[in-house]
Amino acid sequence: MAIIIGIDPGSRMTGYGIIHQKGDTLRYLDAGTIRTDTKEMPERLKRIFNGITRITQYHQKYSDEPIHAAVEQVFMAENPDSALKLGQARGAAIAALVALDLEVSEYTARQIKQAVCGYGAADKVQVQEMVCRILKLDVTPQQDAADGLACAICHAHSSHSMNKLLMNTTLRGRGSSKKKGRWRLTEEDLAGLK
């Protein structure tokens, strides 16, 4: 069980989505945008940092479950100035998460769309629709918030796959024995899983 915070960084609007993962089940907790309605870039970065900090601290305060964070990676935009601003916004979000001692995973936009839509070149409307289906939402979140939720869903799928891989490795690893074509855990394996 874990809480996953997904961040879609932007210099004017940073989307976030928070979900709860329990095994294969994903449940919506929160989503929204941090708006930075100002011309000055340092002030925008401060608002992103403070917004991410406030949201994360709220969930840390009211949950005993571990919190994981996922952030969309910067793509190379045609406009270098836009790419630089996006990178700074992303840095402010990552700094806020790391300052709260969270480990941050990073995913490309293609990885996120592939995990949510099954197609790495899906558009924003497709991402919104699939986020609603996966999380069983009655109301469609704003695009940046949906992108934050999609990032969290991508991390959930990725971490769940890694857990299955680790479990299979443990089952076939040291101390396991094969009897009649089946793997069985030894007491040592079971102790290692606790």
Side-chain angles (χ1 to χ4, degrees), residues 35-160:
R35 297 178 187 272
T36 59
D37 300 324
T38 180
K39 289 183 180 180
E40 301 300 320
M41 195 61 188
E43 182 61 29
R44 287 188 207 171
L45 299 177
K46 177 183 174 184
R47 289 180 186 187
I48 293 168
F49 183 93
N50 289 341
I52 298 291
T53 299
R54 203 169 34 255
I55 292 159
T56 305
Q57 285 177 331
Y58 173 84
H59 286 280
Q60 284 178 324
K61 182 177 179 180
Y62 293 106
S63 176
D64 293 334
E65 296 177 16
I67 296 179
H68 302 272
V71 177
E72 185 176 325
Q73 288 181 349
V74 174
F75 66 94
M76 281 309 293
E78 290 179 21
N79 181 340
D81 189 51
S82 295
L84 182 61
K85 288 177 180 174
L86 183 59
Q88 290 174 333
R90 188 173 167 275
I94 291 172
L97 295 165
V98 172
L100 295 169
D101 295 323
L102 297 183
E103 187 174 318
V104 178
S105 298
E106 301 174 63
Y107 300 95
T108 64
R110 189 176 253 338
Q111 288 174 306
I112 293 167
K113 291 173 182 180
Q114 182 71 39
V116 174
C117 300
Y119 176 58
D123 63 30
K124 285 191 172 278
V125 173
Q126 290 171 310
V127 171
Q128 282 177 298
E129 289 174 4
M130 287 307 297
V131 163
C132 287
R133 286 183 188 176
I134 292 167
L135 298 175
K136 298 175 178 74
L137 300 177
D138 296 329
V139 176
T140 303
Q142 186 271 344
Q143 283 186 348
D144 295 300
D147 288 347
L149 287 166
C151 190
I153 291 168
C154 177
H155 181 74
H157 289 179
S158 176
S159 63
H160 189 66

Side-chain angles (χ1 to χ4, degrees), residues 1-2 4 19-28 115 131 133-136 152-165 167:
M1 291 191 301
I4 303 169
I19 62 174
H20 180 264
Q21 178 183 22
K22 184 176 182 181
D24 290 335
T25 306
L26 302 178
R27 184 172 51 91
Y28 170 87
V131 163
R133 286 183 188 176
I134 292 167
L135 298 175
K136 298 175 178 74
I153 291 168
C154 177
H155 181 74
H157 289 179
S158 176
S159 63
H160 189 66
S161 296
M162 285 302 288
N163 287 341
K164 282 185 176 181
L165 180 63
M167 180 64 91

